Amino acid sequence: MADADFLEELAALGKEASKDAEIRRIRAAFRIDAYAVLNLQPGVPDSDIKRAYRSKSLLVHPDHTKNELAPDAFDRLVKAQTALLDEKARKKLDQQYDDARYLTLKQMKLTKDDTEETASEEFLELWAKNVKYVIMEDEKDYQKRLQTQMREEGRQQKKMDEENAERKRKRDADKAWEDSRDERISNWNTYKNNKSGEASKKKKKVKVIG
């Protein structure tokens, strides 16, 4: 093998190894944490988010690697960028990062002015751990609220269904009463005629004494 071919093969292997490493990193990141998936920190501008997405998507795009896990990694990248470019979703995530940072300061008995300590590897690792904790707790609370809302909506729907059924029953009863009107009138006329006929017969049977 020529030296040029050998070097080209090494370069290709190196690129593939980089792709595999990035796919592993993305899939190891907490998937709900868009910053972690894109390997970014809160506060970055939209341009950095788009730049990070482009560079990483070139590595993990299924069309650019044979790695079977590439589609999953790429899908996580797409969702992460979408979340960070959505103002509401990003604001929520930023607040979760702030809550986690406050919790970390408390646990390590630090203040925000302890800049050296808050830049340490120990602080950053604990902060990342607390971010995951805060996000998971928020997700649990959200699911509980969602279930409560669904139960309440279910109760309201049941009540509405019952009210609609009762209104239909009354409408059907009123319609049935109206539809039977002619029959009732006919029956009443027949009844009156029969009564009149019976009265006439009784009069004929009365004997006059004299």
Side-chain angles (χ1 to χ4, degrees):
M1 181 183 293
D3 290 346
D5 293 338
F6 176 70
L7 292 175
E8 185 178 341
E9 185 176 341
L10 280 180
L13 289 172
K15 288 180 181 179
E16 201 60 37
S18 297
K19 294 175 181 180
D20 291 342
E22 183 60 17
I23 289 171
R24 285 195 299 271
R25 187 201 66 76
I26 291 172
R27 299 186 73 253
F30 187 39
R31 65 187 308 159
I32 306 179
D33 182 357
Y35 285 122
V37 173
L38 284 168
N39 200 23
L40 295 171
Q41 288 295 321
V44 297
D46 288 357
S47 57
D48 284 0
I49 295 170
K50 294 175 182 177
R51 189 179 301 111
Y53 169 77
R54 280 196 299 270
S55 63
K56 295 179 189 309
S57 63
L58 288 173
L59 288 174
V60 305
H61 196 286
D63 291 344
H64 300 158
T65 176
K66 296 178 181 179
N67 192 312
E68 294 179 352
L69 300 175
D72 179 61
F74 182 72
D75 181 62
R76 296 187 190 203
L77 271 186
V78 172
K79 290 179 179 177
Q81 180 189 228
T82 301
L84 292 185
L85 294 180
D86 180 273
E87 184 178 353
K88 185 177 179 181
R90 186 174 180 181
K91 185 177 180 180
K92 178 182 178 182
L93 185 57
D94 285 346
Q95 183 60 57
Q96 291 169 330
Y97 262 77
D98 286 344
D99 292 345
R101 190 173 191 276
Y102 175 76
L103 178 60
T104 307
L105 288 170
K106 227 177 146 184
Q107 290 171 338
M108 295 184 67
K109 296 180 172 57
L110 298 173
T111 70
K112 61 182 181 180
D113 296 325
D114 296 322
T115 54
E116 185 176 344
E117 289 81 357
T118 55
S120 67
E121 187 176 338
E122 179 186 4
F123 182 87
L124 295 176
E125 286 181 357
L126 184 55
W127 186 13
K129 181 180 178 182
N130 284 332
V131 166
K132 185 175 181 179
Y133 169 77
V134 170
I135 291 176
M136 290 177 67
E137 288 301 305
D138 282 355
E139 184 64 21
K140 287 179 185 177
D141 290 342
Y142 169 74
Q143 291 298 332
K144 287 179 182 177
R145 290 196 303 271
L146 185 62
Q147 289 176 3
T148 301
Q149 179 183 344
M150 290 175 66
R151 284 196 296 269
E152 181 59 28
E153 289 176 352
R155 283 194 292 269
Q156 291 179 2
Q157 186 61 50
K158 182 179 179 182
K159 183 179 179 181
M160 288 176 60
D161 290 344
E162 290 173 347
E163 290 174 350
N164 288 335
E166 179 62 19
R167 283 195 292 269
K168 185 177 183 302
R169 186 192 67 76
K170 288 181 178 179
R171 285 197 303 270
D172 291 345
D174 291 344
K175 185 176 183 302
W177 176 259
E178 187 62 28
D179 289 345
S180 64
R181 180 183 176 188
D182 292 342
E183 183 181 353
R184 293 196 312 275
I185 292 173
S186 176
N187 290 340
W188 174 248
N189 289 333
T190 300
Y191 172 75
K192 285 195 301 181
N193 291 335
N194 289 339
K195 284 293 185 182
S196 297
E198 291 176 1
S200 297
K201 289 179 181 180
K202 286 181 180 179
K203 286 180 180 179
K204 290 178 180 178
K205 289 181 179 180
V206 176
K207 292 181 178 180
V208 178
I209 299 174

